[in-house]
Amino acid sequence: MIGNKKNLTIFFSLIIGLSLLSISVTALISPQEVIKDTAPFIGFYAPGFSLYDLNGISFDISDFEGKPVIIFFWASWCSVCKSIIPDLQSTYEKYSRDYIDIISINMTYQDQLPAVKAYVSENEITFPVLIDPTGDVSVSYNIRALPTAYIINPDGIIHSIIIGNGLTSAYIQSQLVLMEP
Amino acid sequence: MFPIINIGPFAVAATPLILFLGLLSGIFLMNSHAKKLSISTSTIENLILVSLIGGLIGARFGFVVRYWQSFTGDMLSALKLSATMFDRDFGMICALLIGLIYSQKKEIFLWQTLDHLTIVLITFMPFYYISQLASGDAYGKVSSLPWAIFVWGNFRHPIQIYLANASGIILLIYLLSTKFLKRRMFPQEGYQFLFLVTLSAFCSLILDIFYEVNKLIFKTIHVNQFYALIIILICFFIFLYRTKIKRTPKLIIFSEGEQNGN
């Protein structure tokens, strides 16, 4: 019966032996750490894009290399997005010069451009508001719910992803600390 | 991946929902087993609840303490309903400590409790790995096998499915060896915990080879495999310790004749 001590001792010995063998084999066949691809996931390089803002100025993700950047996906009908934006605006005003960039991407293919412009104007938003009229960038970032924010480190690698209302000023500051070299 | 499940007008975060279902299933199975063995588990259920709440509060507290400078301008923001402001490691330590303190206060037997909690754990684990499939965590190495899944730009080993299947097999082993919850797996207390934890750690160690991203220890050993081996060795040494039997002197009974020297 497996419950007796002798059998259990054999069981443990076998498990330990096989574990050591497995560790050795794994170390031999895959010793190096992985080269990361581009994907909308933590640890991967952020997917590239080039979009226009509300004034027709073109922005490319590569323009923000060298500094952490938050990419914030939102829509004017999204109440949770609108609850976060004031905090995001004040963070932008305090920290954008030296510490972190913030760009927002409006999912214009699921929104109304006049409503977006009105909202931006009424709330005096000064961080870049880019429009995604075809949804291609939203798809490449795997956006399934709003708001979704990606925090990207200075090397262009996705550091964290926040879905919902977690993008507080305190959280952003904590991530800046974590991203320090 | 499927981080959000849309149910009519509602958008539900998939990962916490699946984890919650896993926990409920584990508690249900534990209660079913205990009922058939006429064991009360209300204290253990309270232990789980107290540890969970303590762990959540501890995780938030740990996050605030760790990044205290972020909260000096607005202390009330520490109480915001946010799914991100949690320190997982500190939360787990708090959950364990609070669980230990509660166990001592209620004078809960350690090994019997661990045996019951193991049932919750092995039922929870398949759900945990499925939740990783939903969130896109734990992606596998690039593969051209027919069952590879398309994740993050490449066809990869479905490592979450491998692990969920392995956990499911461990659960099946448990159900079969207890004849579907009609008896104990081992007569000795604590052996169930040691056996199932060792088996789970072993499966995780073996399947680690299919993970894409791995941190390394000593520049060659996968860190997950290293931790799994540590868990296996700890279980083995605890098992050896518990099998030590203190030898008592044999009582020799003389007959009347022998006593008188005949």
Side-chain angles (χ1 to χ4, degrees), chain B residues 9-259:
Chain B
F10 302 106
V12 179
T15 301
L17 176 66
I18 294 169
L19 292 175
F20 180 65
L21 288 173
L23 188 62
L24 276 185
S25 304
I27 293 172
F28 172 76
L29 211 65
M30 178 188 71
N31 282 339
S32 303
H33 193 195
K35 198 174 169 185
K36 287 179 182 167
L37 300 175
S38 305
I39 296 169
S40 168
T41 55
S42 57
T43 314
I44 297 175
E45 283 171 4
N46 290 342
L47 171 67
I48 293 171
L49 186 65
V50 164
S51 298
L52 266 174
I53 293 170
L56 276 171
I57 295 171
R60 175 56 65 92
F61 179 73
F63 185 89
V64 171
V65 165
R66 198 171 174 186
Y67 304 110
W68 63 271
Q69 295 115 327
S70 309
F71 294 91
T72 48
D74 179 15
M75 285 305 298
L76 284 177
S77 62
L79 301 170
K80 263 191 185 172
L81 278 176
S82 162
T84 50
M85 298 199 297
F86 291 104
D87 187 317
R88 186 186 62 180
D89 297 333
F90 199 81
M92 280 172 61
I93 292 168
C94 282
L96 269 168
L97 280 173
I98 288 166
L100 271 168
I101 293 167
Y102 183 84
S103 309
Q104 282 191 329
K105 285 246 175 222
K106 295 289 179 183
E107 294 176 355
I108 297 172
F109 295 113
L110 175 66
W111 291 112
Q112 195 180 66
T113 305
L114 286 174
D115 281 344
H116 286 302
L117 286 174
T118 315
I119 301 167
V120 179
L121 181 71
I122 59 165
T123 313
F124 176 76
M125 290 314 287
F127 287 87
Y128 172 71
Y129 293 123
I130 299 291
S131 77
Q132 287 190 327
L133 189 66
S135 65
D137 286 340
Y139 36 91
K141 281 190 162 71
V142 173
S143 168
S144 54
L145 290 168
W147 57 82
I149 56 174
F150 193 77
V151 179
W152 308 131
N154 263 308
F155 283 94
R156 301 174 183 278
H157 281 285
I159 180 67
Q160 310 95 333
I161 294 173
Y162 294 165
L163 286 163
N165 283 341
S167 304
I169 289 168
I170 292 171
L171 181 60
L172 192 63
I173 289 171
Y174 168 72
L175 289 171
L176 289 172
S177 59
T178 58
K179 294 199 175 168
F180 292 91
L181 311 177
K182 286 182 188 152
R183 62 167 201 181
R184 289 180 191 277
M185 192 175 190
F186 298 100
Q188 306 91 336
E189 284 175 356
Y191 281 18
Q192 177 173 291
F193 167 75
L194 296 172
F195 179 79
L196 293 172
V197 167
T198 300
L199 209 50
S200 299
F202 178 67
C203 290
S204 171
L205 188 151
I206 293 289
L207 293 172
D208 183 79
I209 196 170
F210 297 110
Y211 267 103
E212 172 70 279
V213 180
N214 265 300
K215 291 183 189 162
L216 299 176
I217 277 185
F218 313 123
K219 294 186 182 173
T220 50
I221 300 171
H222 288 195
V223 72
N224 290 340
Q225 288 188 318
F226 180 74
Y227 288 147
L229 181 67
I230 297 292
I231 290 170
I232 291 167
L233 288 172
I234 289 172
C235 287
F236 179 52
F237 287 122
I238 293 174
F239 165 72
L240 286 178
Y241 176 75
R242 281 181 61 73
T243 56
K244 271 185 189 175
I245 298 168
K246 286 181 187 172
R247 292 186 180 275
T248 53
K250 282 185 184 173
L251 187 63
I252 301 168
I253 300 171
F254 293 100
S255 63
E256 262 190 38
E258 283 172 325
Q259 277 181 329

Side-chain angles (χ1 to χ4, degrees), chain A residues 37-128:
Chain A
D37 294 324
T38 296
F41 193 71
I42 293 171
F44 285 90
Y45 287 104
F49 63 82
S50 185
L51 292 173
Y52 291 97
D53 75 353
L54 292 171
N55 300 316
I57 300 169
S58 173
F59 283 78
D60 195 288
I61 185 73
S62 58
D63 299 337
F64 299 92
E65 267 175 39
K67 209 157 97 172
V69 61
I70 296 174
I71 305 176
F72 179 70
F73 289 84
W74 70 289
S76 65
W77 48 259
C78 164
S79 55
V80 179
C81 305
K82 289 192 280 194
S83 71
I84 292 172
I85 284 174
D87 210 15
L88 211 55
Q89 174 64 30
S90 70
T91 304
Y92 181 73
E93 285 164 11
K94 270 190 238 173
Y95 298 109
S96 66
R97 196 202 302 233
D98 300 315
Y99 299 109
I100 193 165
D101 272 315
I102 296 175
I103 48 175
S104 68
I105 298 180
N106 173 262
M107 293 174 67
T108 324
Y109 70 105
Q110 289 187 344
D111 204 343
Q112 303 292 327
L113 195 55
V116 175
K117 285 181 176 174
Y119 180 79
V120 168
S121 168
E122 279 161 19
N123 292 275
E124 297 174 326
I125 294 170
T126 55
F127 53 76

